[in-house]
Amino acid sequence: RPLGLKHCTALLSRAGPQPSLKGRPRPLGASAAAGCRDVMLTFLVQLSFFCLGLAGIIVSVVSFVLAGQRKLERGIEEYARAVRAWPAASAQLQSASSVALHADADVAGASPSKVELKGLSESDPFRGTKEGEILQGSAYQAFLFRAGLAPELPLAWTTLKPLEPSATPRPSTLDEPGPEGFLPEANFSRMEALSDMARWGANTTLTLMIGGSRIEFEVAPLVRSVAHFEPGGVYDRCPDLGGWETSGQKCWVYERLKALCVQVAVDASGGWRLAPRVPGLNGSYGCSYQGGSWQALTYEKVAVGPPHLDRPTNETVAFDDFSVEVRSAADPLFTALEWTYGTMSFGWSQADEDILGIVLMVLGCVFIVQPCVQFGWRFRKRQEHMRKAADHYGLRGGGRLSASGGAGGGSPARWRGGAPDPERVGMRDAADPDPEEVAS
């Protein structure tokens, strides 16, 4: 009889020799064990091929669905539409007579301060990149107001890869290093508990003035500490995050205010207002995508010294590198961020997705056909073996033993191995007793 998966599982589960009916050990044959190992290995290989084929078919279906959505083509169309509408929006932003940011920090000895923002022109963020080759004919010149140090790469554009890496650093758009003294120094040891998992310090009220329009922001902390739970032992990631652990497995990560960037638009009265990009989310007027939340404030992690009594010691931070930007909500940059989910990559074209789907479908079918054929072959062999066994032992219908070996019933039934039926041994000439003799 050929070995099957079920029988091999039962054989290999024996840890050692098993007692037989006569009490003598009955060891597992070496040939049977080797055959079972081959069967198990073949089963695992076939199962792996089947899973790979099924995964390839599923991914190919997903690729065909994405190809039907035409994400790249529609994204390029929306971006080109935003570029065509940009000159009018840029002219509106350039018409602003002055842009200034006022800060009033709740710090001892600090007085209200003010910084003027300068109008700047920057090149298209896609210019000179691989994505720029796809967006041919959609170049534009960005305009914004900024104060402070210009970032090395504008905000979320760090995922863009230049066609030719430049050996010279990106030049700064401002001569002065930043609004030095605009924000006062803050200390992590003077934070107040906002909740069990958050602490704020040096709360500051920011007010933006664009021409005659006054825009007030919610109170924002200059420094903050946010806690989360970290398991102990080798899975503790708190030191890698630059935080410190306290009682209760809390990991506190300390941050300071790094930048402020907002989107603005002209309202019906001709004044300026903040422009939320997500309906119902009033705080989504920032420039940082961050999963579609569009955060306006950017915080930077700070490595603090050893804490004393759950507080860091001697940790005073300055904000000389703080920067603030004001951009138009019609900037094509934000359209690109929306369509690429913050990655600045429009993805594959419809033709590329179709080709990928066809290749994966073919590979999936090749991988999945082989185990299916193997399973069908083994099933057919098993059925043939069972039929031969039934013919050999005289089994008929449901595996029951027949009363006679032929149609005429001339030969007695046989047991396994050709032996007579033990229930009929010595009963050849037996006859039923006479009822009258039994009664007498």
Side-chain angles (χ1 to χ4, degrees), residues 72-407:
L72 174 65
E73 289 76 10
R74 292 190 296 121
I76 292 177
E77 293 175 1
E78 290 294 329
Y79 183 79
R81 187 179 296 110
V83 170
R84 289 193 296 269
W86 171 242
S90 177
Q92 285 184 336
L93 188 61
Q94 295 180 34
S95 65
S97 57
S98 63
V99 178
L101 181 67
H102 299 258
D104 187 5
D106 186 12
V107 178
S111 57
S113 56
K114 172 186 175 182
V115 61
E116 294 284 346
L117 280 69
K118 293 185 177 181
L120 305 171
S121 294
E122 290 186 346
S123 60
D124 182 358
F126 291 105
R127 186 173 301 173
T129 64
K130 294 182 179 179
E131 295 292 330
E133 294 182 341
I134 303 176
L135 302 173
Q136 293 180 358
S138 297
Y140 76 101
Q141 194 73 13
F143 182 82
L144 68 152
F145 286 93
R146 178 189 292 148
L149 291 176
E152 296 181 0
L153 286 177
L155 301 173
W157 305 354
T158 54
T159 56
L160 292 177
K161 298 180 179 180
L163 294 175
E164 297 180 0
S166 176
T168 58
R170 181 174 178 268
S172 175
T173 54
L174 293 181
D175 297 332
E176 60 270 14
E180 185 176 355
F182 172 64
L183 296 177
E185 294 183 349
N187 197 294
F188 285 112
S189 62
R190 298 189 179 95
M191 293 188 298
E192 298 180 357
L194 185 66
S195 64
D196 293 339
M197 306 296 289
R199 298 171 183 172
W200 283 12
N203 295 338
T204 304
T205 301
L206 299 174
T207 304
L208 181 65
M209 301 294 298
I210 304 178
S213 302
R214 180 186 180 90
I215 302 175
E216 294 185 359
F217 301 94
E218 297 180 356
V219 176
L222 296 184
V223 291
R224 68 181 184 182
S225 179
V226 182
H228 65 277
F229 291 101
E230 282 286 345
V234 296
Y235 299 102
D236 188 359
R237 299 181 299 111
C238 191
D240 298 335
L241 299 175
W244 287 99
E245 287 190 64
T246 58
S247 58
Q249 295 183 339
K250 286 185 178 180
C251 177
W252 291 90
V253 179
Y254 297 87
E255 301 173 333
R256 71 182 184 96
L257 185 61
K258 176 68 174 179
L260 169 67
C261 182
V262 296
Q263 305 178 42
V264 295
V266 179
D267 57 17
S269 62
W272 292 94
R273 61 172 179 84
L274 297 175
R277 301 197 72 87
V278 180
L281 188 59
N282 295 330
S284 60
Y285 49 76
C287 306
S288 182
Y289 183 76
Q290 292 189 7
S293 60
W294 296 102
Q295 297 295 320
L297 298 174
T298 301
Y299 285 86
E300 181 184 49
K301 293 180 182 178
V302 178
V304 299
H308 177 66
L309 298 178
D310 292 345
R311 282 184 168 183
T313 56
N314 302 325
E315 283 301 329
T316 301
V317 294
F319 303 90
D320 294 339
D321 58 348
F322 174 76
S323 65
V324 54
E325 293 183 359
V326 176
R327 292 176 172 268
S328 172
D331 196 325
L333 165 67
F334 302 124
T335 301
L337 287 173
E338 281 183 328
W339 277 93
T340 61
Y341 303 103
T343 63
M344 299 298 285
S345 176
F346 285 92
W348 290 16
S349 65
Q350 184 180 12
D352 294 337
E353 293 284 0
D354 287 334
I355 294 175
L356 177 63
I358 293 174
V359 171
L360 291 178
M361 180 65 72
V362 172
L363 291 178
C365 292
V366 170
F367 278 109
I368 207 171
V369 162
Q370 201 275 342
C372 291
V373 171
Q374 184 73 11
F375 173 79
W377 178 81
R378 293 188 65 86
F379 181 78
R380 184 174 61 84
K381 295 289 289 183
R382 180 178 178 83
Q383 293 296 323
E384 182 180 354
H385 168 75
M386 294 178 64
R387 180 179 57 80
K388 291 181 178 180
D391 293 341
H392 177 71
Y393 295 120
L395 299 178
R396 295 291 185 273
R400 298 182 61 86
L401 190 65
S402 63
S404 61

Side-chain angles (χ1 to χ4, degrees), residues 49-73:
F49 274 96
F50 181 83
C51 293
L52 287 175
L54 184 61
I57 293 176
I58 293 176
V59 175
S60 67
V61 173
V62 174
S63 181
F64 287 136
V65 172
L66 294 178
Q69 295 178 355
R70 300 180 63 252
K71 178 183 176 181
L72 174 65
E73 289 76 10

